[in-house]
């Protein structure tokens, strides 16, 4: 059957060391998954995990050493950075047990959950959806995916973000409240995961604003770094 207009191509993320790319289906995000960040956002640090989504085409592919450009978004005066470990799902499933979760992981990447914090806070106050604060265009920069078999000790990897060469966020994946396996277990009770899904697993403390011209470099040990300039 003909399409009434040309379908958009799938969103693709490069895979380290492979001449093939990872086609993105959905982007799931975990809220408040590091205790110190939960506290800075006004929580106790011990809530059950909760999830939100971004559209797949919010992806901005950012290669190390070649800053990707992220346009400063409309409607905000408080664009925040959130450095996050991204889990790439290779095999789908629902009600995945934590003990089986790693069988479903294709690989890992460094991501940024960029946030229009002022709009998110307005929506929170009004008990309205966060969509406008979280799911906007270009809100999901990501670096290349490293295959799980090539990553060691991801659960104890350091995670950091520098803005213009200055430390803003620095923690360790071991500080996740809900670890990688538990996150997949919980998420897959609510949605059936599929190949191509990405999970932004949450950000550590130190979130803050960036402005046009700022250069963000995010690192997770064992993965390729992410390099983004706001313009
Ligand atoms: Mn986040």
């Amino acid at each position: 059957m003909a399409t009434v207009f040309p379908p958009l191509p799938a969103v693709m993320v490069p895979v380290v060391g492979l001449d093939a790319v990872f086609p993105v289906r959905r982007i799931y995000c975990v809220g408040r998954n590091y205790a110190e960040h939960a506290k800075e956002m006004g929580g106790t640090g011990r809530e059950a995990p909760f999830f939100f989504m971004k559209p797949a085409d919010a992806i901005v592919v950012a290669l190390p050493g070649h800053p990707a450009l992220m346009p400063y978004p409309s409607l905000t005066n408080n664009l925040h950075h959130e450095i996050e470990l991204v889990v790439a799902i290779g095999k789908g499933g629902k009600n995945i047990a934590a003990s089986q979760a790693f069988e479903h992981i294709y690989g890992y990447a460094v991501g940024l959950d960029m946030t229009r914090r002022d709009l998110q806070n307005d929506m929170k106050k009004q008990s309205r959806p966060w969509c406008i604060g979280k799911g906007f265009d270009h809100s999901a920069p990501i670096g290349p995916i490293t295959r799980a078999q090539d990553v060691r000790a991801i659960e104890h990897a350091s995670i950091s973000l520098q803005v213009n060469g200055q430390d803003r966020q620095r923690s360790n994946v071991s500080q996740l409240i809900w670890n990688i396996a538990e996150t997949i277990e919980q998420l897959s009770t609510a949605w059936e995961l599929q190949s191509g899904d990405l999970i932004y697993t949450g950000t550590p403390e130190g979130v803050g604003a960036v402005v046009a011209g700022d250069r963000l470099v995010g690192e997770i040990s064992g993965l390729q770094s992410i390099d983004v300039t706001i313009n």
Side-chain angles (χ1 to χ4, degrees), residues 29-32 37 52 82-84 113 115 134 200-203:
C29 302
V30 188
R32 296 187 180 177
H37 171 64
F52 57 93
E82 296 191 357
I83 186 74
E84 308 203 356
D113 167 15
T115 302
K134 286 290 196 179
Y200 282 59
T201 56
T203 198

Side-chain angles (χ1 to χ4, degrees), residues 51-70:
F51 305 103
F52 57 93
M53 296 176 77
K54 293 177 184 259
D57 66 359
I59 288 283
V60 175
V61 172
L63 302 175
H66 300 85
L69 295 178
M70 177 192 168

